[in-house]
Amino acid sequence: MEDNYFVCPICLDNLEDPKLLPCLHRYCRPCLAPIVGRHHGEFDCPMCKTACVIPENGVDGFKTDFHVQNMLEFIALQKSVESEESQTCKGCKKKERVIAYCFKCKGFLCDQWYQFHLDNDIFQDHNDHVLLLADIIDKKLSLQKLASLKIALRCHVHTEKPAEVCCETCNNLPICMVCSNHGEHKGHRISDVKETAMKGMVKIRKVVGRVEQYQAKDDNLPGRLEEARERLRRSLSEEKGKLESRYQEKLQQIRKMLKKTDDLLAESKAKIRDKEMEELTELRKERALELEAAAKKMNGKFDELENEVKRKCKSYFEEREQIFGEKRTNLEKRLALLDQAARENRQLIDTHGERAAKELAVASSESGGRIRRFDNFTSTVSSILAAEDDWTDSQCLPDVSSASGLLEEEVKRELLERDTISAIDTRELPQIVDKVTIAESPESVVKIDEINHKVGLVVTTAADACGRVVISGKASSTHAFVAAVDTNGKLLWQHSIENTDKTIPHSIWYSAALSDKLLVNACNFNRVFICHFHDGSVASTYDFRDEATNSIHGSDITNDWKETKLITCVTGDPANKDVYIGSFDQRHMISREMLVLNDKLKYKHIILLPDDICWARDITFHRGHLLVCDHNGKAGYIVSVDKLNTGIVHRLTKPTLEGGDWRPFRVCTDSKEFIYIMWEAEITSKRKCVVTQYSPDNHQLLMTKPVDDAAAALTTTFIGGREKLLVITARTWKMFIYDLVTG
């Protein structure tokens, strides 16, 4: 065992009255006391920075490391012997050649007093505690032998009595039978020291095995750190290369489209000029033929005709210039967006590189500390096991077990295996797409026939990029449901939840994508949770009615939501990974308040939608703004979202098909950022539904498409590498799949 094992890390001298911390590091009591005195509640171990809770009685509440204290006593004894200096005999008080040491007398013995110890009945109980110095010189003394020579532990209350049993309730505190049966430990879990040591040994050997496995993983730590640095360098280089390649590709696309626009404008102008000259030439021929016969009569008429041709051509010129000017302006805006996105992505890559480099530096520092803790743990356990002493085991093994738990938890975090060290989350560069068209007719109509809640009503749907389609809504008056199917209608998973609040007449489940892997769900009876797309397993929950799990428990906000509000819609903000929950206030009959939670469903803040909005029936995010279907207000809005303020950015054009009074109720976007809104209207006493499409840049209405009259929800997904628009019906359980044609 290395000498520094017995050295106090603070004073750098041999430990004096060693106090043991939960991390198994030990310090002199005089050195530790001022550190503990400067803190309240807890402090960090000076060696490994592990948080240590301060006992009620301060530094004295930390356990004295009797095992190390015994070994320190032996080291001092060994040094005294090796120095060959004359020692004072404990019996005769003379400085003579000594041959033994009595641990009970705590002194050296000359030859005469050693024999007196052996022969005199007064010292009979000393005999088992006498050490011949020749054993030290010949190195015949083991830790096991040393432990047997030491005086048995005393009861911590009755110090004159030897300890007889352990109080497990008080962390194996040594006590006498009086304390066990009549004192402060009466009623505690009491155990025999041998039994305690045996159980502890079995447990600690398992712990040591696990810790050794973890330690083996860290043996090649420097190599793993260098591999992580190389992965980071390679990842940053690859991402920068991909970014520049995508940027140049999209830049060339825009430049080609700009050139094409300019060429088309020039060609259009040339054709207009040619047409103008052709018409003017014809007019002048006619004028020449008839000029002689009716010069005065016809001059004015031909002048008017010439002016009309010129006005018409000028109008054509202006019209074409406006059309192609708008197209060029849009392309220039796209070019600006492209440049901005490229700059942001470059900044993201640089920021990630800096953050990951810092993480590696921290990991390198922490790994060094962890290796030292492994060494300290191994040394401590080895010395305890070598002693083979029941009292040593019973006193030390609980601390060893606790420290091993800290080590295990730390290694399990696998600092160097974090995906963030090599994965870079960059924002995709803007799509360069002229238009996306919804196919004239669905390419397929899928019957969804395996969901248990067939009697229910589809309300919302969401999909991931792998073709998993989530359908949610009302199962019955008391139950809400959510289910996932593939694009062939086959059931993947399903859940239902009961509403026990009799004041809420309907039970409805709303769902929306939070990310590619996570789905946020909200029930109108004020329960929210996040689950995984692939299997529906729950990641986190939030219940306004459950005060134990409610992160804003006790506030006016919580009580207000519990008593007066119903959830009416939900969406995820992919940029900030927040959850937005729309509500309907039953007391005031308005729907403007939105609750914002983070991706762990912890409360962040509340926003108020603009006064123009009556009822947010459905919401989703588009380029950092909120798309709102205001069903009662009969309008679709793009709303800026801010913690302190919201405002209407744009009001989307309503459909005019069949002259219906159309109301929006579902909204989604595609990967190219085109917007789709589903509208409903009652025409000749029948429900009709249409889907409108809007451009991503200036939000112009591009097309209006009639869909099935029972349509209830829409979303987009990819099938076979092509993006599709899915329209799902409410009670007929059909899924209409439309191709989205890029042109």
Side-chain angles (χ1 to χ4, degrees), residues 486-653:
D486 62 18
T487 50
N488 294 315
K490 182 180 178 182
L491 181 68
L492 302 175
W493 54 264
Q494 62 178 320
H495 297 304
S496 66
I497 189 169
E498 183 180 4
N499 172 25
T500 57
D501 188 345
K502 303 305 180 184
T503 64
I504 300 175
H506 302 290
S507 306
I508 302 175
W509 196 317
Y510 305 93
S511 299
L514 182 59
S515 67
D516 290 339
K517 297 179 180 179
L518 295 176
L519 184 77
V520 58
N521 303 270
C523 300
N524 66 327
F525 41 93
N526 294 340
R527 187 177 298 177
V528 184
F529 67 91
I530 292 173
C531 69
H532 294 93
F533 253 115
H534 70 281
D535 62 1
S537 58
V538 176
S540 52
T541 60
Y542 185 96
D543 192 337
F544 292 91
R545 303 167 304 173
D546 184 358
E547 295 183 348
T549 61
N550 195 335
S551 64
I552 52 173
H553 159 51
S555 71
D556 293 337
I557 296 171
T558 306
N559 295 330
D560 193 30
W561 272 72
K562 286 195 295 185
E563 295 172 5
T564 68
K565 292 183 174 60
L566 295 177
I567 291 175
T568 59
C569 55
V570 67
T571 194
D573 177 2
N576 299 307
K577 296 182 179 178
D578 289 336
V579 175
Y580 281 69
I581 302 168
S583 68
F584 180 75
D585 190 324
Q586 302 176 89
R587 182 184 299 162
H588 302 101
M589 302 303 289
I590 57 173
S591 175
R592 293 180 51 232
E593 196 170 282
M594 284 201 171
L595 179 67
V596 184
L597 311 175
N598 66 13
D599 60 348
K600 299 296 187 295
L601 298 184
K602 300 298 183 184
Y603 171 79
K604 290 188 71 174
H605 55 268
I606 281 179
I607 64 170
L608 288 177
L609 294 175
D611 293 341
D612 292 354
I613 296 176
C614 302
W615 176 20
R617 180 85 174 268
D618 196 21
I619 52 176
T620 194
F621 269 86
H622 178 264
R623 294 185 174 179
H625 292 148
L626 198 63
L627 298 176
V628 180
C629 288
D630 182 3
H631 189 265
N632 285 11
K634 306 175 187 178
Y637 294 101
I638 299 176
V639 177
S640 62
V641 179
D642 186 89
K643 182 176 180 180
L644 300 176
N645 189 30
T646 60
I648 293 175
V649 176
H650 187 81
R651 178 170 175 152
L652 297 164
T653 305

Side-chain angles (χ1 to χ4, degrees), residues 700-726:
Q700 289 183 340
L701 176 61
L702 300 177
M703 67 181 300
T704 301
K705 182 172 190 59
V707 292
D708 192 274
D709 293 345
L714 81 166
T715 189
T716 59
T717 189
F718 283 86
I719 302 175
R722 293 182 63 87
E723 193 164 19
K724 311 292 180 182
L725 179 69
L726 309 182

Side-chain angles (χ1 to χ4, degrees), residues 654-699:
K654 287 180 64 172
T656 57
L657 194 67
E658 299 186 51
D661 192 10
W662 298 97
R663 297 169 181 260
F665 66 101
R666 294 289 169 257
V667 61
C668 74
T669 60
D670 64 20
S671 64
K672 312 295 189 302
E673 299 184 317
F674 284 78
I675 302 167
Y676 302 86
I677 293 183
M678 186 178 285
W679 305 71
E680 64 181 357
E682 188 172 310
I683 300 174
T684 62
S685 301
K686 290 184 179 180
R687 182 180 186 265
K688 298 289 183 181
C689 286
V690 298
V691 172
T692 51
Q693 182 198 47
Y694 302 87
S695 61
D697 294 322
N698 53 15
H699 314 123

Side-chain angles (χ1 to χ4, degrees), residues 100-103 109 114 117 126-132 149:
Y101 184 86
C102 178
F103 283 93
L109 303 174
Y114 171 64
H117 257 64
H126 287 223
N127 292 343
D128 293 336
H129 305 290
V130 176
L131 169 68
L132 286 172
L149 292 169

